[in-house]
Amino acid sequence: MSSLPITVMPWHKPDPCMPPKMQTPAAFKSSYLEYMSNLSIESKLLRSPLSVIMCTIGPSTNNQQSLISLMESGMSFALVQMSSGSREEVQDTIQLLQSAVSENSIAHDRVVTLATAVQLKPPGVHIGTLDRGRTVTLQAGDTFTLTTNSDWKYRCNSKFCYFDLPNAGDILNREDEIIVGNGGVRLIVDEVANNNITCNVTQSGQLLSNMKVSIPGVPLHLGAVTEQDKDDLAFISLQSNVDAVVVTSTKSAIHIIEIRRLLKSNGSDLRVLARIDSKSGIDNLNEIAREADGVVLARNELAAEIEVYKLLLSQKIAFATCNKIGKPVFVCAEYMESMLHLKNPKFSEIIDVQSAILDGADGVLLEAVTAEGHFADQAVKVVASSFREAEAAVWQNQIFDSLLLLAMPPMDPAHAISIGAVDTALKSCASAIILATTSGRAAQIVSRYRPRCPIIAVTRYGRVARQLNMWRAVISVHYISQPFPDWNKEVDVRLQMGIELGKEKKIIQAGDPIVLLSGWRQGAGFTNTIRVVYASDSNPWVYPHSLPSRSVNVGVGIGHTTTDRTTSFTGLLEEAETLHKTTSYTLPSTNLGENGRLSFEGNMLDSILEQNIRQSLKQQSKSSLEHTDNGKQSLRKNSGLSLEMSIQEKNSLKQNDRQSLEHTSTNENENNGQNKRSSSEPSILREKKSVKEDDTSSLENGLNEEIGIMQNERQSLEQSSMLEKINFKGSEGHDGDENNSDQLIAAEEQAL
């Protein structure tokens, strides 16, 4: 395929009459007061939020239409709780999420990426079940007894209640505080007698069945990983469309290490998020964040162990620690819970969300409002709008300079190039950073330095694309079109797909600067190229998406006509689960893993659309090749006939010329004999005859050359047909980023 000229818009200065974008006059001020005083309520915002919206799936959203509405509103990460039901119900919810992704992908003519996480059941101590499911209210000053006697497990009341702490009599002492739920009910131990703990109620509240019990300052010596966790991890590892696991009540890094060991033993490469909901977790946060792939700060549960006045400080500590290490951090609280039954939120809830983003959160986790609320999709839209305002007001100069001070040399080239891409985007006011990635590491590094524009990451691997959804500002694109043998063309096509997605989402407009980031060769760890281009109005700046002679199916790219919009993807789910490919890339010396290797295990080409598209492309290519072969045969036949006719015409012309030459020579001889010319005349005649013989020889040579040219054309047609068949067979063997170039070269040499 011939290369197309690069078509971009010329650079232009910003219009001084237009309001500044993303609080630019304030974002790069050197002092806090200058930054604050230059903020403007008229500043233009981004069209899509940079922060991540994670939604808990529950009864009110456990249907396909609601899930699609959540995705359209801004959800990029779905959370399923193991405590929400049985394993069969959890599995049904995961499959329902995948079905919703399929329908949404058909609607958009591309693969819509949605990350899915499963949260383990919270360990610890819980009370029993209230008698007849009633709600019990405790008043301050009442006497309340907790017992470890299992006879009371299913008949708790306002005076007596079971809790599952077998050694309570040995570890509890008089004056110890016991907190039930999220701080709603507080008790003080008055007497310890065998299995019964008599307490005085110090804070009134309601009791519900199976509420969590916290005992601040008392080590409970519970195992980091329970037998229930081991069984749940084995179950989660079998789910092909799960991308992460959330570990509840993480108190130390050992907990995360043990979870990773169990996942590895089950053959899983899931991301591990640590849920911090205790004072011990805050104390060990630095070690936990280094071991985990991300952190979820459970603010409500944390309030049960520390004073409520310390929550703001704990939140800032958690965000700053994760920002410094470079790990995503989310916060969950009672966000938008007024929208459980109301369509509009409280002003304080919006400000609370925006404060979290300004403090450094990468996203928020919505719990009750999306699991049980009547206006879940509206709540997600409100959060997305709140994000956009807060992200524009981030003091970019301070945060970027602070992160640069932590990036001490030496560092690997991909890290350095990623920092340069963020700096280039800031200086050029780029509308997007678009990159082609294999492992997703380049996108993660770029996200770590918190750019002010979206990062559109294009990758071939479905799991990598989905897992990138947990990183701030990253919009992942799962690229599943047939690969190009030429790596440079392959990169340009992927980047063009990212540009088209940016235009579809109205992130990129004509004339906007775009920063492009890519690698110089295939594989992970080779990112080293930065380019700055300006978006065109309609024409692409690089090669088009696909070969002009091939049509594509649903999900290959943006803007293509779909060949089958009614395709059912239900049957492809089982096929995707049976595809277990492992692709390993050898990296330079990095911190990504042991021996410098990054391994993708599991269903790496597990897109629900990929199998269908590959089969469609093969069928279309075969049909196109058959049509081309017929045309080639017809052309060769016509060319052969034309060649034979041309040879006959040339021979006829040659014969006529000879006859004419002989006739002319005969006439001249007769004239010479009749006129009896002088003795010098025969020599002149001989010279004329010699010239005519030379003309005849030149004519014969010219005819022979033309015949040879026509024969070469016939051989070229035959060779091109043979090479096209070879290339088609080679394209059928493509898988991921690999190609059969050596086999193609050998076949071409044999054909030639």
Side-chain angles (χ1 to χ4, degrees):
M1 183 177 61
S2 61
S3 61
L4 298 178
I6 294 177
T7 307
V8 297
M9 299 288 290
W11 183 83
H12 58 84
K13 292 183 178 180
D15 187 353
C17 298
M18 293 293 291
K21 184 178 180 180
M22 286 282 289
Q23 303 286 0
T24 302
F28 297 97
K29 294 298 181 181
S30 58
S31 69
Y32 180 74
L33 289 179
E34 286 293 325
Y35 150 70
M36 293 291 291
S37 62
N38 279 275
L39 294 173
S40 171
I41 61 175
E42 301 294 336
S43 180
K44 189 178 178 181
L45 305 176
L46 291 177
R47 293 182 177 270
S48 63
L50 302 178
S51 302
V52 180
I53 301 177
M54 187 187 303
C55 298
T56 303
I57 308 303
S60 66
T61 52
N62 200 11
N63 59 83
Q64 183 169 294
Q65 187 57 47
S66 296
L67 294 174
I68 292 176
S69 298
L70 288 177
M71 284 187 281
E72 291 296 304
S73 300
M75 177 185 69
S76 59
F77 211 142
L79 179 68
V80 181
Q81 296 178 335
M82 288 297 299
S83 59
S84 63
S86 64
R87 289 179 183 172
E88 290 74 16
E89 292 173 335
V90 171
Q91 187 173 24
D92 291 342
T93 301
I94 294 172
Q95 293 178 353
L96 185 63
L97 281 166
Q98 197 61 32
S99 177
V101 169
S102 302
E103 291 299 323
N104 208 19
S105 299
I106 294 174
H108 287 278
D109 290 351
R110 60 179 173 84
V111 179
V112 176
T113 57
L114 176 69
T116 303
V118 177
Q119 180 173 289
L120 298 177
K121 292 181 179 179
V125 182
H126 298 79
I127 65 172
T129 302
L130 296 176
D131 187 21
R132 300 179 184 177
R134 295 178 300 179
T135 300
V136 172
T137 301
L138 299 182
Q139 300 293 339
D142 291 348
T143 300
F144 186 72
T145 301
L146 293 171
T147 180
T148 59
N149 187 349
S150 59
D151 293 339
W152 293 88
K153 188 172 183 178
Y154 299 102
R155 51 194 187 96
C156 299
N157 54 46
S158 60
K159 297 295 182 181
F160 226 76
C161 186
Y162 168 82
F163 77 133
D164 53 357
L165 185 62
N167 59 340
D170 298 329
I171 65 174
L172 290 179
N173 296 306
R174 198 169 182 273
E175 300 298 328
D176 285 343
E177 184 181 32
I178 299 176
I179 302 172
V180 183
N182 294 329
V185 176
R186 291 178 181 266
L187 312 171
I188 294 294
V189 176
D190 183 57
E191 182 182 357
V192 178
N194 297 327
N195 294 331
N196 297 331
I197 312 298
T198 304
C199 306
N200 294 323
V201 180
T202 58
Q203 180 172 307
S204 304
Q206 285 187 335
L207 288 184
L208 300 176
S209 296
N210 303 313
M211 291 185 77
K212 183 180 178 181
V213 176
S214 302
I215 308 175
V218 177
L220 302 181
H221 302 292
L222 299 174
V225 180
T226 65
E227 292 298 324
Q228 179 71 41
D229 291 338
K230 295 179 182 179
D231 293 339
D232 289 342
L233 288 172
F235 164 76
I236 294 170
S237 300
L238 297 176
Q239 309 305 312
S240 60
N241 296 312
V242 174
D243 308 296
V245 58
V246 180
V247 182
T248 56
S249 299
T250 305
K251 293 181 172 60
S252 67
I254 297 176
H255 197 172
I256 301 299
I257 295 173
E258 181 66 14
I259 293 293
R260 284 196 187 279
R261 186 189 67 79
L262 291 172
L263 288 173
K264 186 175 181 180
S265 66
N266 292 323
S268 177
D269 62 343
L270 298 179
R271 299 292 186 187
V272 179
L273 303 181
R275 185 179 175 107
I276 305 299
D277 53 12
S278 64
K279 185 177 182 300
S280 299
I282 292 293
D283 294 338
N284 300 318
L285 182 61
N286 191 59
E287 293 77 14
I288 293 173
R290 293 185 185 277
E291 289 294 336
D293 295 306
V295 170
V296 179
L297 181 66
R299 208 169 63 182
N300 286 354
E301 298 166 19
L302 187 61
E305 294 204 12
I306 65 174
E307 294 182 36
V308 67
Y309 311 107
K310 303 289 187 181
L311 281 179
L312 179 61
L313 185 60
S314 300
Q315 176 174 294
K316 290 180 178 292
I317 292 172
F319 294 168
T321 301
C322 293
N323 291 164
K324 182 175 66 174
I325 296 174
K327 297 295 179 68
V329 55
F330 308 93
V331 58
C332 65
E334 297 176 348
Y335 290 133
M336 304 298 162
E337 292 201 0
S338 64
M339 299 185 71
L340 283 168
H341 306 287
L342 301 176
K343 196 171 184 178
N344 296 315
K346 296 178 180 178
F347 300 148
S348 58
E349 292 175 326
I350 294 177
I351 295 174
D352 193 11
V353 169
Q354 293 177 334
S355 297
I357 299 303
L358 290 173
D359 283 345
D362 292 286
V364 299
L365 169 59
L366 302 179
E367 293 186 308
V369 68
T370 56
E372 305 170 7
H374 298 294
F375 304 100
D377 56 342
Q378 184 65 24
V380 173
K381 291 179 182 178
V382 170
V383 171
S385 299
S386 303
F387 280 173
R388 293 167 60 216
E389 287 287 354
E391 290 158 357
V394 171
W395 190 9
Q396 189 66 38
N397 189 61
Q398 180 210 40
I399 185 65
F400 186 66
D401 289 349
S402 299
L403 291 172
L404 282 183
L405 291 176
L406 298 173
M408 300 299 294
M411 62 179 65
D412 62 274
H415 196 141
I417 287 291
S418 299
I419 294 175
V422 176
D423 195 22
T424 302
L426 292 175
K427 296 295 192 296
S428 63
C429 295
S431 293
I433 299 173
I434 304 177
L435 54 89
T437 180
T438 299
S439 66
R441 180 170 176 259
Q444 295 171 11
I445 298 174
V446 173
S447 173
R448 174 177 179 174
Y449 289 91
R450 311 185 79 78
R452 290 168 56 81
C453 62
I455 306 163
I456 302 178
V458 187
T459 180
R460 278 197 169 277
Y461 301 103
R463 173 157 290 178
V464 172
R466 296 193 302 271
Q467 290 177 342
L468 283 176
N469 280 357
M470 65 185 286
W471 291 83
R472 177 189 177 274
V474 176
I475 300 174
S476 59
V477 180
H478 186 188
Y479 172 77
I480 56 177
S481 295
Q482 197 170 21
F484 285 88
D486 186 341
W487 173 247
N488 293 326
K489 290 183 179 180
E490 172 78 3
V491 169
D492 284 345
V493 168
R494 292 197 202 181
L495 296 177
Q496 179 62 35
M497 178 178 286
I499 292 175
E500 291 188 13
L501 177 64
K503 289 181 178 180
E504 182 193 71
K505 290 181 172 290
K506 302 189 183 301
I507 296 171
I508 300 173
Q509 296 180 342
D512 287 350
I514 310 169
V515 176
L516 306 178
L517 192 61
S518 60
W520 64 279
R521 56 166 292 179
Q522 283 179 278
F526 299 105
T527 301
N528 70 342
T529 305
I530 301 176
R531 287 176 281 177
V532 180
V533 300
Y534 291 84
S536 64
D537 189 13
S538 58
N539 296 326
W541 68 275
V542 291
Y543 304 100
H545 257 259
S546 57
L547 295 175
S549 61
R550 295 177 181 176
S551 60
V552 294
N553 207 334
V554 176
V556 175
I558 304 165
H560 291 293
T561 302
T562 57
T563 57
D564 184 8
R565 294 187 59 85
T566 60
T567 303
S568 174
F569 296 97
T570 304
L572 295 177
L573 289 174
E574 296 181 359
E575 296 180 13
E577 292 177 359
T578 59
L579 180 62
H580 293 283
K581 296 188 65 64
T582 300
T583 306
S584 297
Y585 296 96
T586 301
L587 303 178
S589 178
T590 65
N591 296 324
L592 291 184
E594 298 179 358
N595 302 323
R597 295 184 65 83
L598 178 65
S599 177
F600 300 103
E601 298 180 356
N603 189 4
M604 299 307 297
L605 298 177
D606 55 355
S607 169
I608 54 174
L609 308 173
E610 184 161 8
Q611 292 292 324
N612 189 29
I613 290 168
R614 286 189 183 277
Q615 294 176 3
S616 176
L617 284 174
K618 289 180 182 180
Q619 292 175 358
Q620 292 164 5
S621 299
K622 289 179 180 178
S623 176
S624 176
L625 183 59
E626 291 175 358
H627 178 73
T628 303
D629 286 343
N630 294 335
K632 294 291 185 180
Q633 292 174 3
S634 176
L635 181 60
R636 286 197 297 269
K637 183 177 180 181
N638 294 335
S639 298
L641 293 175
S642 299
L643 182 62
E644 293 176 0
M645 292 177 63
S646 298
I647 293 172
Q648 292 176 0
E649 291 177 358
K650 294 296 183 180
N651 289 335
S652 176
L653 180 61
K654 178 179 176 181
Q655 185 67 27
N656 292 336
D657 290 342
R658 285 179 178 176
Q659 292 177 359
S660 176
L661 183 61
E662 292 175 356
H663 181 71
T664 303
S665 177
T666 303
N667 291 339
E668 289 183 356
N669 289 334
E670 291 177 357
N671 292 334
N672 291 337
Q674 292 175 359
N675 296 331
K676 297 180 180 179
R677 294 184 178 179
S678 63
S679 59
S680 62
E681 289 179 350
S683 63
I684 295 174
L685 182 61
R686 285 194 298 271
E687 292 178 359
K688 289 183 178 181
K689 184 176 181 180
S690 176
V691 170
K692 292 176 182 178
E693 289 177 353
D694 292 340
D695 292 340
T696 303
S697 177
S698 177
L699 178 62
E700 291 177 352
N701 292 334
L703 290 173
N704 291 332
E705 289 178 0
E706 293 182 4
I707 292 171
I709 290 172
M710 292 181 180
Q711 291 175 347
N712 290 335
E713 289 178 353
R714 177 189 292 179
Q715 294 177 358
S716 297
L717 289 172
E718 295 174 352
Q719 291 175 357
S720 64
S721 176
M722 183 179 300
L723 288 177
E724 190 164 315
K725 293 180 179 179
I726 294 171
N727 287 333
F728 171 74
K729 294 179 179 179
S731 65
E732 284 184 334
H734 279 300
D735 188 10
D737 287 332
E738 302 296 330
N739 57 57
N740 299 325
S741 58
D742 294 339
Q743 298 178 6
L744 290 177
I745 291 173
E748 290 176 3
E749 291 177 352
Q750 182 180 1
L752 294 175

